[in-house]
Amino acid sequence: MTAAAVPTRVASAILPGGGGVRGALSDAFWRRPKLLLLLMLLPPVLWLGIVYIGSLIALLLQSFFSIDEFSGLINRQFTLKTYGDLFQAANLDIIIRTVTMAACVTLAAAAVAFPIAYYAARYARGRWKALFYLAVMLPLWSSYLVKIYAWKLILAKEGILTWLLDRLHLSWLLDAWLSLPVVGGNSLSVSFTGTFIVFVYVWLPFMILPVQAALERVPGNLVEASSDLGATPGQTFRNVLFPLALPGIVAGSIFTFSLTLGDYIVPQIIGTSRLFIGQAVYAQQGTAGNIPLAAAFTVVPIVIMGFYLWGARRLGAFDAL
């Protein structure tokens, strides 16, 4: 009697097929799981392949066209003349200026972010860690333009920073700095220094979080062992902390470097009349109508970030993202 009951139990465990179109589709997806995976991935793949990659390919193709100097029309014949125009003194100066600013912003953001991330990773617990994440993420929730215009008021000649330095009798130091030929200007709000300060402020959270994640992976006993072996705090930082936190720093630099390369709003609101790559792209495709040159300018950050990501991958930065 027990043997006869076993087939009945097994048979009852198998559910009957569903009826209608819904049941037929369910049965087909159950028998062919790869078909279900294909249908789930199809919309994002189409979006990535057509809208994103397709637009980049169209942009790349337009960079191989040229503009007719007499009619102002686009000459749709394959040529490298537009890329040759990038090496003209004015355009090359824009590229060098942008890359230099991106590198300086990245180094400054790493220097500011490291102690903040170290404190959060080693000492912050419970409510203090929650407060840390809130303080880091809160600026990202506010409007990008509002933050920039707020900084324009802070850095203006009549702003709070100038007032504070005047109260501390350090206005002479600010005047001396603004008198310098490259980084200075009439005020901080119309200088490369002001652009640099705002860039560091805006992109700083993108550096803090990867560094903090990398430092949390560093075992505390390694730092204690380094101290027990007689290493000074500086030696512990150079030989233990910094090498282990380097992937996180490089991961954060991917964001700070690439975002600075392509941004055109910060230099347009806070800065001098000298262009950055983002402003050049905006001006060439808008005011000048030189779409091939704008496309060629756009390819420059793509190429730079391609090499940058290749180097970051070799340093293990993707493990800290």
Side-chain angles (χ1 to χ4, degrees), residues 148-317:
I148 297 174
Y149 277 109
W151 269 103
K152 188 174 181 64
L153 295 176
I154 293 172
L155 299 175
K157 213 173 247 189
E158 304 81 10
I160 188 173
L161 186 59
T162 305
W163 173 85
L164 179 61
L165 291 175
D166 187 56
R167 289 286 181 174
L168 296 174
H169 304 287
L170 294 175
S171 56
W172 61 271
L173 183 61
L174 177 61
D175 294 336
W177 180 264
L178 292 177
S179 65
L180 296 177
V182 176
V183 298
N186 293 330
S187 68
L188 285 174
S189 62
V190 288
S191 66
F192 282 134
T193 303
T195 307
F196 167 78
I197 293 172
V198 177
F199 267 137
V200 173
Y201 166 79
V202 171
W203 309 139
L204 186 60
F206 296 97
M207 178 65 77
I208 293 177
L209 294 177
V211 176
Q212 186 260 346
L215 288 172
E216 280 195 339
R217 298 191 185 102
V218 178
N221 54 9
L222 288 181
V223 179
E224 296 172 1
S226 175
S227 178
D228 293 339
L229 292 172
T232 63
Q235 291 173 331
T236 301
F237 172 76
R238 290 192 301 270
N239 300 319
V240 179
L241 275 178
F242 184 76
L244 294 176
L246 185 60
I249 296 173
V250 178
S253 71
I254 294 174
F255 296 105
T256 57
F257 192 81
S258 62
L259 291 172
T260 306
L261 278 181
D263 192 275
Y264 72 96
I265 298 177
V266 172
Q268 187 170 342
I269 298 175
I270 300 175
T272 65
S273 58
R274 296 179 180 178
L275 299 179
F276 286 76
I277 289 179
Q279 292 172 289
V281 172
Y282 181 80
Q284 292 297 333
Q285 66 88 28
T287 307
N290 193 343
I291 295 179
L293 186 56
F297 263 119
T298 308
V299 172
V300 173
I302 296 176
V303 173
I304 293 174
M305 287 309 302
F307 285 105
Y308 198 92
L309 292 174
W310 174 78
R313 181 177 178 274
R314 292 178 62 88
L315 292 173

Side-chain angles (χ1 to χ4, degrees), residues 6-246:
V6 172
T8 305
R9 290 180 181 176
V10 173
S12 62
I14 300 175
L15 298 176
V21 177
R22 183 177 179 182
L25 289 176
S26 178
D27 294 341
F29 291 148
W30 182 80
R31 294 188 183 94
R32 300 177 182 85
K34 291 184 178 179
L35 177 62
L36 177 60
L37 180 63
L38 176 63
L39 292 178
M40 292 178 64
L41 292 179
L42 190 60
V45 168
L46 287 176
W47 173 268
L48 182 66
I50 298 176
V51 178
Y52 184 72
I53 298 180
S55 62
L56 287 179
I57 294 175
L59 181 69
L60 180 63
L61 291 176
Q62 290 189 70
S63 67
F64 291 104
F65 299 153
S66 62
I67 196 81
D68 188 273
E69 297 179 357
F70 296 100
S71 63
L73 300 176
I74 297 176
N75 184 10
R76 301 183 182 277
Q77 293 182 352
F78 183 87
T79 179
L80 295 176
K81 177 181 177 298
T82 305
Y83 282 101
D85 293 339
L86 290 178
F87 293 95
Q88 294 180 359
N91 295 331
L92 191 60
D93 185 53
I94 293 173
I95 296 173
I96 294 174
R97 183 183 305 116
T98 307
V99 174
T100 302
M101 177 64 76
C104 292
V105 168
T106 299
L107 292 175
V112 175
F114 194 92
I116 301 173
Y118 179 79
Y119 176 82
R122 302 287 296 172
Y123 300 107
R125 295 292 183 272
R127 293 181 179 178
W128 287 106
K129 178 154 284 193
L131 182 62
F132 161 77
Y133 284 115
L134 182 63
V136 173
M137 299 297 293
L138 191 61
L140 298 178
W141 300 343
S142 59
S143 172
Y144 178 70
L145 284 175
V146 169
K147 290 186 292 186
I148 297 174
Y149 277 109
W151 269 103
K152 188 174 181 64
L153 295 176
I154 293 172
L155 299 175
K157 213 173 247 189
E158 304 81 10
I160 188 173
L161 186 59
T162 305
W163 173 85
L164 179 61
L165 291 175
D166 187 56
R167 289 286 181 174
L168 296 174
H169 304 287
L170 294 175
S171 56
W172 61 271
L173 183 61
L174 177 61
D175 294 336
W177 180 264
L178 292 177
S179 65
L180 296 177
V182 176
V183 298
N186 293 330
S187 68
L188 285 174
S189 62
V190 288
S191 66
F192 282 134
T193 303
T195 307
F196 167 78
I197 293 172
V198 177
F199 267 137
V200 173
Y201 166 79
V202 171
W203 309 139
L204 186 60
F206 296 97
M207 178 65 77
I208 293 177
L209 294 177
V211 176
Q212 186 260 346
L215 288 172
E216 280 195 339
R217 298 191 185 102
V218 178
N221 54 9
L222 288 181
V223 179
E224 296 172 1
S226 175
S227 178
D228 293 339
L229 292 172
T232 63
Q235 291 173 331
T236 301
F237 172 76
R238 290 192 301 270
N239 300 319
V240 179
L241 275 178
F242 184 76
L244 294 176
L246 185 60

